[in-house]
Amino acid sequence: MSKASQQGPQRSCIACRKVLDQSLLVRYVLSPQGEVLVDYGRKLPGRGGYTCCEVSCLETAVKRKQFERIFTGCCLPPTYEALKESLVKQVRQRVANLVGMARKSGIVRSGSRLVMTELGRDSELSLVLLSEDLSPTIASKVVSIAENRGVPCHVIFDKGYMGQLMGKGERSVVALRSGPLAETINNEILRYKQIAGEA
Ligand SMILES: [Zn+2]
């Protein structure tokens, strides 16, 4: 656990009761209509309930009617599928926002040739993102160079969306220079894959 995880308010998961820093948990609030909403960005007003970032805890919470218990009164029974779908979408959006932020702070390289060249040198690249629609031949080339360098590679987004995040045309290979932002993005992607069931 990093130091950062020790800071900030602690909350407990309504399913397994584990107490963690709230940044490591998923927040839920009740809409005025009585619907349970996922509030991954922890921005919505109102009293919140929390689960671990694991779908098993979300599933348990729904099954055991924990949401109805914490949001007393007018809480409509949520479905696991709907909450999971919303959570997956929000984590994916968070990754996209962070990648856009990385681009703005100038720590991003994009384009397969450039990334492969820089990875081949002793560059400071510490994370590689490959689009879902990248050709398998190029993908395996990039992955093998990155693996040699001990740089993690993740497949995420399509090249149109990746290009959009880069403020360019299509981009199928994007790499980030090492630093806290690259580390945060790597962690968010791992979380995303775990929640979306791709890992
Ligand atoms: Zn839990």
Side-chain angles (χ1 to χ4, degrees):
M1 288 258 156
S2 71
K3 246 185 190 162
S5 66
Q6 304 297 320
Q7 299 162 353
Q10 309 277 302
R11 296 285 181 271
S12 67
C13 169
I14 58 173
C16 72
R17 301 285 160 202
K18 212 188 304 173
V19 177
L20 291 168
D21 186 282
Q22 69 171 16
S23 66
L24 300 173
L25 297 164
V26 181
R27 182 173 191 261
Y28 306 85
V29 295
L30 197 63
S31 79
Q33 291 74 34
E35 284 170 305
V36 177
L37 304 177
V38 177
D39 179 28
Y40 189 63
R42 306 197 307 278
K43 296 223 168 80
L44 296 176
R47 209 168 78 81
Y50 295 81
T51 67
C52 300
C53 285
E54 275 150 48
V55 285
S56 59
C57 278
L58 174 56
E59 196 172 15
T60 304
V62 171
K63 236 186 247 168
R64 294 198 195 138
K65 304 191 184 304
Q66 289 300 105
F67 290 105
E68 290 92 320
R69 211 158 285 160
I70 57 163
F71 299 125
T72 48
C74 52
C75 178
L76 299 169
T79 69
Y80 165 67
E81 290 72 23
L83 289 179
K84 184 190 163 186
E85 194 190 325
S86 173
L87 177 58
V88 167
K89 217 192 246 174
Q90 291 184 39
V91 182
R92 193 180 164 90
Q93 186 60 52
R94 164 81 59 86
V95 174
N97 293 346
L98 290 168
V99 170
M101 209 188 275
R103 192 258 299 179
K104 281 180 199 137
S105 46
I107 61 162
V108 163
R109 294 283 172 274
S110 69
S112 57
R113 209 171 301 167
L114 178 63
V115 169
M116 281 196 274
T117 309
E118 290 215 6
L119 277 174
R121 287 187 211 135
D122 206 10
S123 72
E124 285 178 48
L125 298 180
S126 70
L127 179 65
V128 174
L129 309 181
L130 307 174
S131 74
E132 289 150 352
D133 44 3
L134 172 63
S135 95
T137 322
I138 299 177
S140 68
K141 270 189 204 163
V142 178
V143 168
S144 87
I145 299 175
E147 269 176 1
N148 266 333
R149 293 276 167 197
V151 174
C153 282
H154 297 294
V155 176
I156 192 162
F157 306 135
D158 60 38
K159 56 189 171 193
Y161 190 46
M162 197 93 96
Q164 206 179 305
L165 295 174
M166 291 299 109
K168 293 182 175 159
E170 293 182 342
R171 278 293 180 275
S172 47
V173 181
V174 165
L176 287 95
R177 273 215 312 270
S178 63
L181 192 49
E183 203 176 306
T184 304
I185 292 173
N186 189 40
N187 290 337
E188 278 307 325
I189 293 176
L190 292 174
R191 191 182 267 188
Y192 169 71
K193 304 244 159 183
Q194 190 190 24
I195 293 169
E198 291 177 21

